Amino acid sequence: MSLQVLSYTHIQEAAEFILKQIPSEPEVGLILGSGLGVLADLVEEPVTIAYESIPHFPQSTVEGHAGELLIGTIKGRTVVLMKGRFHMYEGYGPEMTAFPVRVMKAIGVKQLLVTNAAGGINMSYEAGDLMLISDHLNMTGQNPLTGANDDKLGVRFPDMSEAYSHRLRTIAKEVGARHNFTFQEGVYAGLLGPNYETPAEIRMLRALGADAVGMSTVSEVIVARHAGIEVLGISCISNMAAGILDQPLSHAEVMETAEKVKGQFLQLVLDIIPAMAE
Ligand code: HPA
């Protein structure tokens, strides 16, 4: 039950287990979306910790993908990277998908970079674009903060007026400019999934102000903000959303686009990470 999972003691036990194995506290947390996990290969001198060995940590359900945390450095900054992430459509409650973010906070993380694959709703977008998330719509019908609030973790009614840091978006845009690259910037609608949306749902989301749609990120970001972590979110527009082009959506297409943009994505992220510190 959720209150159990998110108890302060459970988070501390998981954090202490990790801290015993690493030489220094990570400052930046990285959660990477479908096909964008390649950054894991660039973490230097990583300490690898299997999710299954961490007390109270959720376990990956995807076969052949034992989840693990990598703690090491990228361009001189100590980072913790989640290799494997938890989605609510897998059956995890919102508090379980966000538990790793609580643990990140407890081991020292101050800034979080979260990326995802998303369908483009804004008609001016194209598959392959990268979108800085300016804000989100939580359309999952769930919230990781329901239940009793522990004031040690954050306030009962957290402010979400700058869920996605203006400062970090400015840094990302400056890095983009140095690479002659322009990000899109827009609102991410997070749905439960796992089916892709209907064309009618996409028209509804557009009317509500969404520029892109996906099945992750919102619960992690809600918990990060509750915990006082500064967030940068980047969506890889892997396909145009349902009903826009005359073709069905598929996971294969999502992975194919991620494969195409990953070189560009890596170059940008490698320069953004060292610039994220306050
Ligand atoms: N909808 C929802 N999630 C997604 C999509 C989409 O079109 N593309 C990648 N993730």
Side-chain angles (χ1 to χ4, degrees):
M1 161 58 187
S2 60
L3 301 180
Q4 285 272 309
V5 171
L6 276 183
S7 89
Y8 188 73
T9 320
H10 289 97
I11 296 161
Q12 288 307 312
E13 282 173 12
E16 276 160 29
F17 178 85
I18 296 164
L19 286 171
K20 272 194 292 209
Q21 302 181 50
I22 58 177
S24 59
E25 292 192 0
E27 308 153 273
V28 177
L30 303 167
I31 305 179
L32 305 169
S34 304
L36 303 174
V38 283
L39 192 60
D41 299 334
L42 300 179
V43 178
E44 292 166 36
E45 296 184 35
V47 172
T48 303
I49 306 177
Y51 292 164
E52 60 187 10
S53 71
I54 305 172
H56 318 298
F57 221 75
Q59 307 299 315
S60 290
T61 59
V62 188
E63 251 177 80
H65 287 270
E68 48 197 27
L69 283 186
L70 297 187
I71 297 118
T73 60
I74 289 182
K75 296 231 177 150
R77 299 292 306 278
T78 307
V79 302
V80 51
L81 179 147
M82 283 184 74
K83 212 169 164 186
R85 138 198 246 178
F86 303 99
H87 301 90
M88 283 193 277
Y89 62 72
E90 292 173 88
Y92 300 103
E95 63 290 322
M96 277 300 246
T97 63
F99 183 77
V101 178
R102 293 276 185 221
V103 175
M104 283 186 178
K105 167 76 180 182
I107 63 175
V109 164
K110 311 254 179 327
Q111 279 109 17
L112 178 67
L113 170 61
V114 53
T115 74
N116 55 51
I121 293 178
N122 186 316
M123 295 293 205
S124 71
Y125 290 2
E126 285 175 26
D129 284 352
L130 296 178
M131 182 190 90
L132 297 175
I133 304 177
S134 59
D135 207 343
H136 76 214
L137 295 170
N138 177 10
M139 308 289 286
T140 64
Q142 304 198 48
N143 194 299
L145 304 181
T146 52
N149 187 65
D150 186 337
D151 294 339
K152 291 197 283 302
L153 300 176
V155 296
R156 170 77 288 187
F157 300 111
D159 174 46
M160 292 291 280
S161 43
E162 200 183 325
Y164 297 83
S165 160
H166 196 266
R167 187 185 78 83
L168 292 178
R169 270 182 283 145
T170 303
I171 289 168
K173 283 182 232 177
E174 285 166 1
V175 169
R178 287 209 296 277
H179 287 256
N180 285 321
F181 179 85
T182 308
F183 285 99
Q184 304 287 7
E185 188 167 2
V187 173
Y188 174 87
L191 275 64
L192 183 58
N195 60 285
Y196 292 116
E197 301 70 34
T198 63
E201 286 165 344
I202 294 304
R203 289 193 297 275
M204 172 190 76
L205 292 171
R206 184 180 298 118
L208 294 178
D211 296 293
V213 58
M215 308 173 194
S216 64
T217 304
V218 293
S219 62
E220 291 144 342
V221 171
I222 289 169
V223 164
R225 295 308 296 141
H226 186 240
I229 297 174
E230 202 182 6
V231 176
L232 177 63
I234 305 179
S235 291
C236 165
I237 306 299
S238 53
N239 55 282
M240 289 310 286
I244 296 180
L245 304 176
D246 190 18
Q247 62 187 51
L249 273 51
S250 73
H251 186 58
E253 183 191 4
V254 171
M255 299 307 280
E256 227 170 83
T257 308
E259 185 64 31
K260 278 189 209 144
V261 305
K262 83 182 181 196
Q264 174 84 276
F265 168 80
L266 276 182
Q267 282 194 357
L268 291 164
V269 166
L270 278 179
D271 280 353
I272 290 172
I273 290 168
M276 280 172 77
E278 274 196 274

